Amino acid sequence: MGTYRVMRQDDNGNRALVAGELTRPAAEAMADEFEARGHKQLYWVEPVPDRIVVGGALLHQGRVLAARRSAPPEVAGGWEFPGGKAEPGETEQQALERELFEELGVRARALHRLPGSWLVRPGLELRIWAAELITGEPRPLQDHDQLRWLGPTDLTTVDWLTHDREVLPHVAALLH
């Protein structure tokens, strides 16, 4: 049957979780109650995703790493913050650190989640985290053919995938 959550968006476009793990009727009743009280923000009900994808804004010496996708074909050539799917029982932080090792050959530490989340496809939600490089020199080992370190003024010099582009203001704040 699945579980649902109530989400809210403020005037700046920031999304936030209001309540999760509810039945659909309970989630809809909660959203209706907020609207009836005259809350000014946008509220909606959505299914809780089956899986989480984590992306890493990997920071090092005032720069962030961008990775160009080589696969799958529908996103090849687009730039992203590298990462991948969390495995069952794995925290988002553990997933990010594992994925950065597998995709780039580096050890990194997940720091904190950046605002926002994006539905990649039904049942799959992307969340982007700030992370710091601990050891290693990133190499494109899986699903990428090119890497670039970008400073604050370089962030718009690559063609970001839509979801990754939306988090750029938060990444830029980390670089200043």
Side-chain angles (χ1 to χ4, degrees), residues 42-112:
L42 172 66
Y43 291 87
W44 69 92
V45 173
E46 64 184 26
V48 173
D50 298 325
R51 294 213 47 201
I52 300 296
V53 176
V54 290
L58 185 61
L59 306 169
H60 185 63
Q61 297 179 345
R63 299 174 301 160
V64 66
L65 188 72
R68 190 172 74 176
R69 295 287 309 198
S70 57
E74 58 271 14
V75 293
W79 291 79
E80 69 173 0
F81 296 111
K85 294 180 187 91
E87 298 296 334
E90 194 174 44
T91 67
E92 291 178 35
Q93 297 95 320
Q94 290 168 332
L96 179 61
E97 292 168 5
R98 176 186 51 76
E99 285 287 344
L100 292 177
F101 181 74
E102 290 174 2
E103 288 191 2
L104 306 173
V106 299
R107 295 285 177 201
R109 181 174 61 215
L111 300 173
H112 57 87

Side-chain angles (χ1 to χ4, degrees), residues 5 7 15-17 46 49 52-57 92-93 96 109-119 125-131 167 170-171 174:
R5 61 188 181 189
M7 299 293 296
R15 294 177 47 173
L17 175 68
E46 64 184 26
I52 300 296
V53 176
V54 290
E92 291 178 35
Q93 297 95 320
L96 179 61
R109 181 174 61 215
L111 300 173
H112 57 87
R113 189 173 148 198
L114 298 176
S117 62
W118 300 269
L119 193 63
E125 180 177 298
L126 171 65
R127 298 176 182 172
I128 297 179
W129 282 72
V167 80
H170 301 289
V171 173
L174 295 173

